[in-house]
Coordinates of all heavy atoms in Angstrom, one line a residue:
M1 N -31.2 -20.0 -19.2 CA -31.4 -19.1 -18.1 C -30.2 -19.1 -17.2 O -29.6 -20.2 -16.9 CB -32.6 -19.7 -17.2 CG -32.9 -18.8 -16.0 SD -34.4 -19.2 -15.2 CE -33.9 -20.6 -14.2
K2 N -29.7 -17.9 -16.9 CA -28.5 -17.8 -16.1 C -28.9 -17.5 -14.6 O -29.8 -16.7 -14.4 CB -27.6 -16.7 -16.6 CG -27.0 -17.0 -17.9 CD -26.1 -15.9 -18.4 CE -25.5 -16.1 -19.7 NZ -24.7 -15.0 -20.2
I3 N -28.2 -18.1 -13.8 CA -28.4 -17.8 -12.3 C -27.1 -17.2 -11.8 O -26.0 -17.9 -11.8 CB -28.7 -19.0 -11.5 CG1 -30.1 -19.6 -12.0 CG2 -28.8 -18.7 -10.0 CD1 -30.5 -20.9 -11.3
L4 N -27.1 -16.0 -11.5 CA -25.9 -15.3 -11.0 C -25.9 -15.2 -9.5 O -26.9 -14.7 -8.9 CB -25.8 -13.9 -11.6 CG -25.7 -13.8 -13.1 CD1 -25.6 -12.4 -13.6 CD2 -24.4 -14.6 -13.6
D5 N -24.9 -15.7 -8.9 CA -24.8 -15.6 -7.4 C -24.0 -14.4 -7.1 O -22.8 -14.4 -7.1 CB -24.2 -16.9 -6.9 CG -24.1 -16.8 -5.4 OD1 -24.6 -15.9 -4.8 OD2 -23.4 -17.7 -4.8
L6 N -24.8 -13.3 -6.7 CA -24.1 -12.1 -6.4 C -23.8 -12.0 -4.9 O -23.2 -11.0 -4.5 CB -25.0 -10.9 -6.9 CG -25.3 -10.9 -8.4 CD1 -26.2 -9.7 -8.7 CD2 -24.0 -10.7 -9.2
T7 N -24.2 -13.0 -4.2 CA -23.9 -12.9 -2.7 C -22.7 -13.6 -2.3 O -22.2 -13.3 -1.2 CB -25.1 -13.5 -2.0 OG1 -25.2 -14.8 -2.3 CG2 -26.4 -12.7 -2.3
G8 N -22.1 -14.4 -3.2 CA -20.9 -15.1 -2.7 C -19.7 -14.2 -2.6 O -19.5 -13.3 -3.4
N9 N -18.9 -14.6 -1.7 CA -17.6 -13.8 -1.5 C -16.5 -14.2 -2.5 O -15.6 -13.4 -2.8 CB -17.1 -13.9 -0.1 CG -18.1 -13.1 0.9 OD1 -18.6 -12.1 0.6 ND2 -18.2 -13.7 2.1
G10 N -16.6 -15.4 -2.9 CA -15.7 -15.9 -3.9 C -14.2 -15.9 -3.5 O -13.3 -16.1 -4.3
G11 N -14.0 -15.8 -2.2 CA -12.6 -15.9 -1.7 C -11.8 -14.6 -2.0 O -10.6 -14.6 -1.8
A12 N -12.4 -13.6 -2.5 CA -11.7 -12.4 -2.8 C -11.2 -11.7 -1.5 O -11.9 -11.7 -0.5 CB -12.5 -11.4 -3.6
P13 N -10.0 -11.3 -1.5 CA -9.4 -10.6 -0.3 C -10.2 -9.4 0.1 O -10.5 -8.5 -0.8 CB -8.0 -10.3 -0.6 CG -8.0 -10.3 -2.1 CD -9.0 -11.2 -2.6
G14 N -10.6 -9.3 1.3 CA -11.3 -8.1 1.7 C -10.4 -6.9 2.1 O -9.2 -7.2 2.3
P15 N -10.9 -5.7 2.1 CA -10.1 -4.6 2.4 C -9.5 -4.6 3.8 O -8.6 -3.8 4.1 CB -11.0 -3.4 2.1 CG -12.4 -4.0 2.3 CD -12.3 -5.4 1.8
A16 N -10.1 -5.4 4.7 CA -9.6 -5.4 6.0 C -8.3 -6.1 6.2 O -7.6 -5.9 7.2 CB -10.7 -6.1 6.9
E17 N -8.0 -6.9 5.2 CA -6.7 -7.7 5.2 C -5.6 -6.8 4.7 O -5.2 -7.0 3.5 CB -6.9 -9.0 4.4 CG -5.8 -10.0 4.7 CD -5.9 -10.5 6.2 OE1 -6.9 -10.5 6.8 OE2 -4.8 -11.0 6.7
A18 N -5.1 -5.9 5.4 CA -4.0 -5.0 5.0 C -2.7 -5.6 5.4 O -2.4 -5.7 6.6 CB -4.2 -3.6 5.6
V19 N -1.9 -6.0 4.4 CA -0.6 -6.6 4.7 C 0.5 -5.8 4.1 O 0.4 -5.1 3.1 CB -0.6 -8.0 4.1 CG1 0.8 -8.7 4.3 CG2 -1.7 -8.9 4.7
C20 N 1.6 -5.8 4.8 CA 2.8 -5.0 4.4 C 3.2 -5.3 3.0 O 3.1 -6.5 2.5 CB 4.0 -5.4 5.3 SG 5.5 -4.7 5.0
S21 N 3.6 -4.3 2.2 CA 3.9 -4.4 0.8 C 5.3 -5.0 0.6 O 5.7 -5.4 -0.5 CB 3.8 -3.1 0.1 OG 2.5 -2.6 0.1
R22 N 6.1 -5.0 1.6 CA 7.5 -5.5 1.5 C 7.4 -7.0 1.1 O 6.7 -7.8 1.6 CB 8.2 -5.4 2.8 CG 9.7 -5.9 2.8 CD 10.6 -5.0 2.1 NE 12.0 -5.4 2.3 CZ 12.7 -6.1 1.3 NH1 12.1 -6.3 0.2 NH2 13.9 -6.4 1.6
K23 N 8.3 -7.3 0.1 CA 8.3 -8.7 -0.4 C 8.5 -9.7 0.7 O 9.4 -9.6 1.5 CB 9.4 -8.8 -1.5 CG 9.4 -10.0 -2.3 CD 10.5 -10.0 -3.3 CE 10.4 -11.2 -4.2 NZ 11.5 -11.2 -5.3
A24 N 7.6 -10.7 0.7 CA 7.7 -11.8 1.6 C 7.3 -11.5 3.0 O 7.3 -12.3 3.9 CB 9.1 -12.5 1.6
C25 N 6.9 -10.3 3.3 CA 6.5 -9.9 4.6 C 5.0 -10.1 4.8 O 4.2 -9.7 3.9 CB 6.8 -8.4 4.9 SG 6.3 -7.9 6.6
R26 N 4.6 -10.8 5.8 CA 3.2 -11.1 6.0 C 2.6 -10.3 7.2 O 1.5 -10.6 7.7 CB 3.0 -12.6 6.3 CG 3.7 -13.5 5.3 CD 3.1 -13.4 3.9 NE 1.7 -14.0 3.9 CZ 0.9 -13.9 2.8 NH1 1.3 -13.2 1.7 NH2 -0.2 -14.4 2.8
H27 N 3.3 -9.4 7.7 CA 2.9 -8.6 8.9 C 1.7 -7.7 8.5 O 1.6 -7.2 7.4 CB 4.0 -7.8 9.4 CG 5.1 -8.6 10.1 ND1 6.4 -8.2 10.1 CD2 5.0 -9.8 10.7 CE1 7.1 -9.1 10.7 NE2 6.3 -10.1 11.1
G28 N 0.9 -7.4 9.5 CA -0.2 -6.5 9.2 C 0.4 -5.1 9.0 O 1.4 -4.7 9.6
A29 N -0.3 -4.3 8.1 CA 0.2 -3.0 7.8 C -0.2 -2.0 8.9 O -1.3 -2.0 9.4 CB -0.3 -2.6 6.4
E30 N 0.7 -1.1 9.2 CA 0.4 0.0 10.1 C 0.5 1.4 9.5 O 0.0 2.3 10.0 CB 1.4 -0.1 11.3 CG 1.3 -1.4 12.1 CD 2.4 -1.4 13.2 OE1 2.9 -0.4 13.6 OE2 2.9 -2.5 13.5
W31 N 1.1 1.4 8.3 CA 1.4 2.7 7.6 C 1.0 2.6 6.1 O 1.1 1.5 5.5 CB 2.8 3.0 7.7 CG 3.3 3.2 9.2 CD1 3.9 2.2 9.9 CD2 3.1 4.3 10.0 NE1 4.1 2.7 11.2 CE2 3.7 4.0 11.3 CE3 2.6 5.6 9.8 CZ2 3.7 4.9 12.3 CZ3 2.6 6.5 10.9 CH2 3.2 6.1 12.1
Q32 N 0.6 3.7 5.6 CA 0.4 3.9 4.2 C 1.5 4.8 3.6 O 1.6 5.9 4.1 CB -1.0 4.5 3.9 CG -2.2 3.7 4.3 CD -3.4 4.3 3.9 OE1 -4.0 4.1 2.9 NE2 -3.9 5.2 4.8
L33 N 2.2 4.3 2.7 CA 3.2 5.2 2.0 C 2.7 5.7 0.7 O 2.4 4.9 -0.2 CB 4.5 4.4 1.8 CG 5.5 4.4 3.0 CD1 4.8 3.6 4.2 CD2 6.8 3.7 2.6
L34 N 2.5 7.0 0.6 CA 1.9 7.5 -0.6 C 3.1 8.0 -1.6 O 4.0 8.7 -1.1 CB 1.1 8.8 -0.3 CG -0.4 8.5 0.1 CD1 -0.4 7.5 1.3 CD2 -1.0 9.8 0.5
W35 N 3.0 7.5 -2.8 CA 4.1 7.9 -3.7 C 3.5 8.1 -5.1 O 2.4 7.8 -5.5 CB 5.1 6.8 -3.7 CG 4.7 5.4 -4.2 CD1 4.1 4.5 -3.4 CD2 4.9 4.9 -5.5 NE1 3.8 3.4 -4.2 CE2 4.3 3.6 -5.4 CE3 5.4 5.3 -6.7 CZ2 4.3 2.7 -6.6 CZ3 5.4 4.5 -7.8 CH2 4.9 3.2 -7.7
N36 N 4.4 8.7 -6.0 CA 4.0 9.0 -7.3 C 5.2 9.0 -8.2 O 6.3 9.5 -7.9 CB 3.4 10.5 -7.3 CG 3.2 11.0 -8.7 OD1 4.1 11.5 -9.3 ND2 2.0 10.9 -9.2
N37 N 5.1 8.3 -9.3 CA 6.2 8.3 -10.3 C 5.8 9.3 -11.5 O 5.0 9.0 -12.3 CB 6.4 6.9 -10.8 CG 7.6 6.8 -11.7 OD1 8.1 7.8 -12.2 ND2 8.1 5.6 -12.0
P38 N 6.5 10.4 -11.5 CA 6.1 11.4 -12.5 C 6.3 11.0 -13.9 O 5.8 11.6 -14.9 CB 7.1 12.6 -12.2 CG 8.2 12.0 -11.4 CD 7.6 10.8 -10.6
K39 N 7.1 9.9 -14.1 CA 7.3 9.4 -15.5 C 6.1 8.6 -16.0 O 5.9 8.5 -17.2 CB 8.5 8.4 -15.5 CG 9.8 9.2 -15.2 CD 11.0 8.2 -15.3 CE 12.3 8.9 -15.0 NZ 13.5 7.9 -14.9
I40 N 5.3 8.0 -15.1 CA 4.2 7.2 -15.6 C 2.8 7.7 -14.9 O 1.8 7.2 -15.4 CB 4.4 5.7 -15.3 CG1 4.6 5.5 -13.8 CG2 5.6 5.2 -16.1 CD1 4.8 4.0 -13.4
H41 N 2.9 8.5 -13.9 CA 1.6 9.0 -13.3 C 1.4 10.5 -13.5 O 2.4 11.2 -13.6 CB 1.7 8.7 -11.8 CG 1.9 7.2 -11.5 ND1 2.7 6.8 -10.5 CD2 1.3 6.1 -12.0 CE1 2.7 5.4 -10.5 NE2 1.8 5.0 -11.3
T42 N 0.2 10.9 -13.5 CA -0.1 12.3 -13.5 C 0.2 12.8 -12.1 O 0.2 12.0 -11.1 CB -1.6 12.6 -13.8 OG1 -2.4 11.8 -12.9 CG2 -2.0 12.2 -15.2
P43 N 0.6 14.1 -12.0 CA 1.1 14.6 -10.7 C 0.2 14.4 -9.5 O 0.7 14.3 -8.4 CB 1.2 16.1 -11.0 CG 1.4 16.2 -12.5 CD 0.5 15.1 -13.0
E44 N -1.1 14.4 -9.7 CA -2.1 14.3 -8.6 C -2.3 12.8 -8.2 O -2.9 12.5 -7.2 CB -3.4 15.0 -8.9 CG -4.2 14.4 -10.0 CD -3.8 14.8 -11.4 OE1 -2.7 15.5 -11.5 OE2 -4.5 14.6 -12.4
R45 N -1.8 11.9 -9.0 CA -2.0 10.5 -8.8 C -1.2 10.1 -7.5 O -0.1 10.5 -7.3 CB -1.6 9.7 -10.0 CG -1.7 8.2 -9.9 CD -3.1 7.7 -10.3 NE -3.1 6.3 -10.2 CZ -2.8 5.4 -11.2 NH1 -2.3 5.9 -12.3 NH2 -2.9 4.1 -11.0
R46 N -1.8 9.2 -6.7 CA -1.1 8.7 -5.6 C -1.2 7.1 -5.6 O -2.3 6.6 -5.5 CB -1.7 9.2 -4.3 CG -1.3 10.7 -4.0 CD 0.2 10.9 -3.8 NE 0.5 12.3 -3.5 CZ 0.7 13.1 -4.5 NH1 0.7 12.7 -5.8 NH2 1.0 14.4 -4.2
K47 N 0.0 6.5 -5.6 CA 0.0 5.1 -5.4 C 0.2 4.9 -3.9 O 0.8 5.7 -3.2 CB 1.2 4.5 -6.2 CG 1.1 4.7 -7.7 CD 0.0 3.8 -8.3 CE 0.4 2.3 -8.2 NZ -0.6 1.5 -8.9
I48 N -0.2 3.7 -3.4 CA -0.1 3.5 -2.0 C 0.5 2.1 -1.7 O 0.1 1.1 -2.2 CB -1.5 3.5 -1.3 CG1 -2.1 4.9 -1.4 CG2 -1.4 3.1 0.2 CD1 -3.6 5.0 -0.8
W49 N 1.6 2.2 -0.9 CA 2.2 0.9 -0.4 C 1.8 0.8 1.1 O 1.7 1.8 1.8 CB 3.7 1.0 -0.5 CG 4.2 0.6 -1.9 CD1 3.5 0.2 -2.9 CD2 5.6 0.6 -2.3 NE1 4.3 -0.1 -4.0 CE2 5.6 0.2 -3.6 CE3 6.8 0.9 -1.7 CZ2 6.8 0.1 -4.4 CZ3 7.9 0.8 -2.4 CH2 8.0 0.4 -3.7
L50 N 1.6 -0.4 1.5 CA 1.3 -0.6 2.9 C 2.6 -1.1 3.6 O 3.4 -1.9 3.0 CB 0.2 -1.6 3.1 CG -1.1 -1.2 2.4 CD1 -2.1 -2.4 2.5 CD2 -1.7 0.0 3.1
A51 N 2.8 -0.7 4.8 CA 4.0 -1.1 5.5 C 3.7 -1.4 7.0 O 2.9 -0.8 7.6 CB 5.1 0.1 5.5
C52 N 4.4 -2.5 7.4 CA 4.4 -2.8 8.9 C 5.4 -1.8 9.6 O 6.1 -1.1 8.9 CB 4.7 -4.2 9.1 SG 6.4 -4.7 8.7
G53 N 5.4 -1.9 10.9 CA 6.3 -1.0 11.6 C 7.7 -1.3 11.3 O 8.6 -0.4 11.3
E54 N 8.0 -2.5 11.0 CA 9.4 -2.9 10.8 C 9.9 -2.5 9.4 O 11.1 -2.1 9.3 CB 9.5 -4.5 10.8 CG 10.9 -5.0 10.7 CD 10.8 -6.6 10.8 OE1 9.8 -7.1 11.3 OE2 11.8 -7.2 10.4
H55 N 9.1 -2.4 8.4 CA 9.5 -2.1 7.1 C 9.2 -0.7 6.6 O 9.5 -0.3 5.5 CB 8.9 -3.1 6.1 CG 9.5 -4.5 6.2 ND1 8.8 -5.6 6.5 CD2 10.9 -4.9 6.2 CE1 9.6 -6.7 6.6 NE2 10.9 -6.2 6.5
R56 N 8.5 0.1 7.4 CA 8.2 1.4 7.0 C 9.4 2.2 6.6 O 9.4 2.8 5.5 CB 7.5 2.2 8.2 CG 7.3 3.6 7.9 CD 6.9 4.4 9.2 NE 6.9 5.8 8.9 CZ 6.7 6.7 9.9 NH1 6.5 6.3 11.1 NH2 6.8 8.0 9.6
A57 N 10.5 2.2 7.4 CA 11.7 2.9 7.1 C 12.3 2.4 5.8 O 12.8 3.2 5.0 CB 12.7 2.9 8.2
W58 N 12.3 1.1 5.6 CA 12.9 0.5 4.4 C 12.2 0.9 3.2 O 12.8 1.3 2.2 CB 12.9 -1.0 4.5 CG 13.7 -1.7 3.5 CD1 15.0 -2.2 3.6 CD2 13.3 -2.0 2.1 NE1 15.4 -2.8 2.4 CE2 14.4 -2.7 1.5 CE3 12.1 -1.8 1.4 CZ2 14.3 -3.1 0.2 CZ3 12.1 -2.2 0.1 CH2 13.2 -2.9 -0.5
L59 N 10.9 0.9 3.2 CA 10.1 1.3 2.1 C 10.2 2.8 1.8 O 10.2 3.2 0.7 CB 8.7 0.8 2.2 CG 8.5 -0.7 2.2 CD1 7.1 -1.1 2.8 CD2 8.6 -1.2 0.8
E60 N 10.2 3.6 2.9 CA 10.4 5.0 2.7 C 11.7 5.4 2.0 O 11.8 6.2 1.1 CB 10.3 5.7 4.1 CG 8.9 6.0 4.5 CD 8.9 6.8 5.8 OE1 10.0 7.0 6.4 OE2 7.8 7.3 6.3
D61 N 12.7 4.7 2.5 CA 14.0 4.9 2.0 C 14.1 4.6 0.5 O 14.7 5.3 -0.3 CB 15.1 4.2 2.7 CG 16.5 4.5 2.3 OD1 17.0 5.6 2.5 OD2 17.1 3.6 1.7
Y62 N 13.5 3.4 0.2 CA 13.4 3.0 -1.2 C 12.8 4.0 -2.1 O 13.3 4.3 -3.2 CB 12.6 1.7 -1.3 CG 12.5 1.0 -2.6 CD1 13.4 0.0 -3.0 CD2 11.5 1.4 -3.5 CE1 13.3 -0.6 -4.3 CE2 11.4 0.9 -4.8 CZ 12.3 -0.1 -5.2 OH 12.1 -0.7 -6.4
L63 N 11.6 4.6 -1.7 CA 10.9 5.5 -2.5 C 11.7 6.9 -2.5 O 11.7 7.5 -3.6 CB 9.5 5.7 -1.9 CG 8.6 4.5 -2.1 CD1 7.3 4.8 -1.3 CD2 8.2 4.3 -3.6
Q64 N 12.2 7.3 -1.4 CA 12.9 8.6 -1.3 C 14.1 8.6 -2.2 O 14.5 9.5 -2.8 CB 13.2 8.9 0.1 CG 12.0 9.3 1.0 CD 12.3 9.4 2.4 OE1 13.4 9.0 2.9 NE2 11.3 9.9 3.2
T65 N 14.8 7.4 -2.2 CA 16.0 7.3 -3.0 C 15.7 7.5 -4.5 O 16.5 8.1 -5.2 CB 16.7 5.9 -2.9 OG1 17.1 5.8 -1.5 CG2 17.9 5.7 -3.8
R66 N 14.5 7.1 -4.9 CA 14.1 7.2 -6.3 C 13.3 8.5 -6.6 O 12.8 8.7 -7.7 CB 13.3 6.0 -6.7 CG 14.2 4.8 -6.8 CD 13.4 3.5 -6.7 NE 14.3 2.3 -6.8 CZ 15.1 1.9 -5.8 NH1 15.2 2.6 -4.7 NH2 15.9 0.9 -6.0
G67 N 13.1 9.3 -5.5 CA 12.4 10.6 -5.7 C 10.9 10.4 -5.9 O 10.2 11.2 -6.5
L68 N 10.4 9.3 -5.4 CA 8.9 9.0 -5.6 C 8.1 9.2 -4.4 O 6.9 9.3 -4.5 CB 8.8 7.5 -6.0 CG 9.7 7.0 -7.2 CD1 9.4 5.5 -7.4 CD2 9.4 7.8 -8.5
W69 N 8.7 9.3 -3.2 CA 8.0 9.4 -2.0 C 7.2 10.7 -1.9 O 7.8 11.8 -2.2 CB 8.9 9.2 -0.8 CG 8.2 9.2 0.5 CD1 7.6 8.2 1.1 CD2 8.2 10.3 1.4 NE1 7.1 8.6 2.4 CE2 7.4 9.9 2.5 CE3 8.7 11.7 1.3 CZ2 7.2 10.8 3.6 CZ3 8.4 12.5 2.4 CH2 7.7 12.1 3.5
K70 N 6.0 10.6 -1.4 CA 5.2 11.9 -1.2 C 4.8 12.0 0.3 O 4.9 13.1 0.8 CB 3.9 11.8 -2.0 CG 4.2 11.9 -3.5 CD 4.8 13.2 -3.9 CE 5.1 13.3 -5.4 NZ 5.8 14.5 -5.8
D71 N 4.3 11.0 0.9 CA 3.8 11.1 2.3 C 3.7 9.8 3.0 O 3.6 8.7 2.3 CB 2.5 11.8 2.3 CG 2.1 12.5 3.6 OD1 3.0 12.5 4.5 OD2 1.0 13.0 3.7
T72 N 3.7 9.8 4.3 CA 3.5 8.6 5.0 C 2.4 8.9 6.1 O 2.5 9.8 6.8 CB 4.7 8.1 5.8 OG1 5.7 7.7 4.8 CG2 4.4 6.8 6.6
V73 N 1.3 8.1 6.1 CA 0.2 8.3 7.0 C -0.1 7.0 7.7 O 0.1 5.9 7.2 CB -1.0 8.9 6.3 CG1 -0.7 10.2 5.7 CG2 -1.5 7.9 5.2
A74 N -0.6 7.1 8.9 CA -1.0 5.9 9.7 C -2.2 5.3 9.0 O -3.1 5.9 8.5 CB -1.3 6.3 11.1
L75 N -2.2 4.0 9.1 CA -3.3 3.2 8.5 C -4.3 2.9 9.6 O -3.9 2.3 10.7 CB -2.7 1.9 7.9 CG -3.8 0.9 7.3 CD1 -4.4 1.5 6.1 CD2 -3.1 -0.4 7.0
N76 N -5.5 3.2 9.4 CA -6.5 2.9 10.4 C -7.6 2.0 9.8 O -8.5 2.5 9.2 CB -7.2 4.2 10.9 CG -6.2 5.1 11.5 OD1 -5.5 4.7 12.5 ND2 -6.1 6.4 11.1
P77 N -7.4 0.7 10.0 CA -8.4 -0.2 9.4 C -9.8 0.1 9.9 O -10.0 0.2 11.2 CB -7.9 -1.6 9.9 CG -6.5 -1.4 10.2 CD -6.4 0.0 10.7
A78 N -10.8 0.2 9.0 CA -12.1 0.5 9.4 C -12.7 -0.5 10.4 O -12.6 -1.7 10.2 CB -13.0 0.6 8.2
G79 N -13.3 0.0 11.5 CA -13.9 -0.9 12.4 C -13.0 -1.8 13.2 O -13.5 -2.7 13.9
R80 N -11.7 -1.5 13.2 CA -10.8 -2.3 14.0 C -9.8 -1.4 14.7 O -8.9 -0.8 14.1 CB -10.1 -3.3 13.2 CG -9.3 -4.3 14.0 CD -8.9 -5.5 13.2 NE -8.1 -5.1 12.0 CZ -7.3 -6.0 11.4 NH1 -7.0 -7.1 11.9 NH2 -6.7 -5.6 10.3
A81 N -10.0 -1.3 16.0 CA -9.0 -0.4 16.8 C -8.0 -1.3 17.4 O -8.3 -2.4 17.9 CB -9.8 0.3 17.9
S82 N -6.8 -0.8 17.3 CA -5.7 -1.6 17.9 C -5.3 -1.0 19.2 O -4.5 -0.4 19.4 CB -4.5 -1.7 17.0 OG -4.1 -0.4 16.6
Ligands
ZN1 ZN1 6.8 -5.6 6.7

């Protein structure tokens, strides 16, 4: 007989913990950078990087330099107003 505990959180990171995608940055994300790599993604596919205010420009520049950047939109964590 198996007993499956479906109620445990298991330590999995919740969606509310949005952290900047910049390497080694632990700041909370304020922006979503939408991008697409036409070499490996279908045209309608959107990958998302999260960026804090400090690294938004750095990450945008990184994507734009490679022709991958599509859009930048503000991140609004559900249920948490800043
Ligand atoms: Zn950052």
Side-chain angles (χ1 to χ4, degrees):
M1 186 171 76
K2 292 179 180 177
I3 299 176
L4 298 176
D5 181 7
L6 299 176
T7 62
N9 289 324
E17 195 67 24
V19 178
C20 178
S21 296
R22 179 76 172 101
K23 193 176 182 180
C25 179
R26 310 294 291 174
H27 292 149
E30 298 174 29
W31 301 94
Q32 298 180 92
L33 278 63
L34 278 53
W35 62 278
N36 170 279
N37 186 343
K39 292 180 181 175
I40 57 176
H41 300 134
T42 53
E44 66 276 10
R45 180 89 179 272
R46 286 294 179 272
K47 299 289 289 182
I48 298 177
W49 277 358
L50 299 173
C52 67
E54 185 179 342
H55 289 125
R56 174 193 169 186
W58 190 96
L59 291 164
E60 274 185 353
D61 184 67
Y62 181 97
L63 292 170
Q64 287 171 351
T65 297
R66 288 156 181 78
L68 307 178
W69 181 83
K70 293 298 179 184
D71 201 5
T72 299
V73 296
L75 178 68
N76 298 308
R80 188 165 55 154
S82 54

